[in-house]
Amino acid sequence: MNNDVLKVMTSNRGKYVEYKKKLKDHYHKIEMMNLDYPEIQADGLEEVVRFALEDLEEHSPLIIDDSGLFIDALDGFPGVYSAYVMKTIGCEGILTLMKEENHRSSRFECVIGYIGREKNIFKGISKGTITREKRGTEGFGYDPIFRPDGFERTYAEMSSEEKNRISHRGDAMEKLLDFVG
Ligand code: IMP
């Protein structure tokens, strides 16, 4: 157990819940901090996170998280535009775009930017399929339309503990925990 208070910089309570569930035994306290930091428009999530980490040292130890859904049949869309697409057309809009599409493979990516004694970036991926309709009420964002490979249920039909065991964010958090020891 680390005596530090770890700050999770996000306005997304769903993300915070997942961090808290998985990291609570490793930190004295985990706080959500809703602080605006610069998010550049870039081709990849890692670039966005690297840039954002530049200015945040004073709040260390901290985590920032940039994530996205990449759909193969849409050439990786919504990808780095995932937040905007969720705000505008949402899950229903994605289902409409995918209506005639039989090739439904996709992946979630999560990039954690961490500042502790040093700065680091950890990336996690989970592969799956876009469902034909929304299913489940747990989680957040695109969870109701994403069924991870090897499971019959969507992320929105799983508890946060179960999602954390197999998800992109869970994968990135495992790498963070290996690093902080
Ligand atoms: P951001 O990382 O906050 O920019 O998230 C991009 C968009 O993807 C937001 O609309 C989130 O709701 C969504 N998103 C991020 N992570 C997940 C996830 O684990 N499941 C479902 N949607 C997610």
Side-chain angles (χ1 to χ4, degrees), residues 12 15 18 39 65-68 82-83 86 108 140-143 163 168-169:
N12 182 329
K15 278 189 189 175
E18 291 178 15
E39 282 200 54
D65 168 315
D66 203 24
S67 306
S82 293
M86 176 51 67
F108 267 120
F140 63 96
Y142 298 100
D143 282 345
K163 180 183 169 193
H168 43 297
R169 189 161 296 106

Side-chain angles (χ1 to χ4, degrees), residues 9 13 32 36 44 46 54 61 64 71 91 102 104 107 114 119 131 135-136 139-140 161 179 181:
M9 302 271 190
R13 183 151 282 280
M32 178 169 162
D36 261 346
E46 280 169 74
E54 291 293 314
I64 59 175
I71 301 176
C91 288
N102 289 323
R104 306 184 71 86
R107 70 183 188 283
Y114 171 75
K119 283 184 195 174
T131 52
R135 290 193 337 234
F140 63 96
E161 285 89 350
F179 177 77

Side-chain angles (χ1 to χ4, degrees), residues 112-130:
I112 295 178
Y114 171 75
I115 308 180
R117 257 173 243 115
E118 36 185 318
K119 283 184 195 174
N120 268 84
I121 287 199
F122 306 97
K123 183 170 179 176
I125 292 182
S126 63
K127 293 189 174 171
T129 299
I130 302 299

Side-chain angles (χ1 to χ4, degrees), residues 75-100:
D75 294 328
F77 184 84
V80 292
Y81 307 107
S82 293
Y84 179 73
V85 169
M86 176 51 67
K87 264 184 243 135
T88 50
I89 62 172
C91 288
E92 298 293 352
I94 293 288
L95 290 177
T96 305
L97 286 175
M98 293 289 287
K99 206 171 164 93
E100 308 295 332

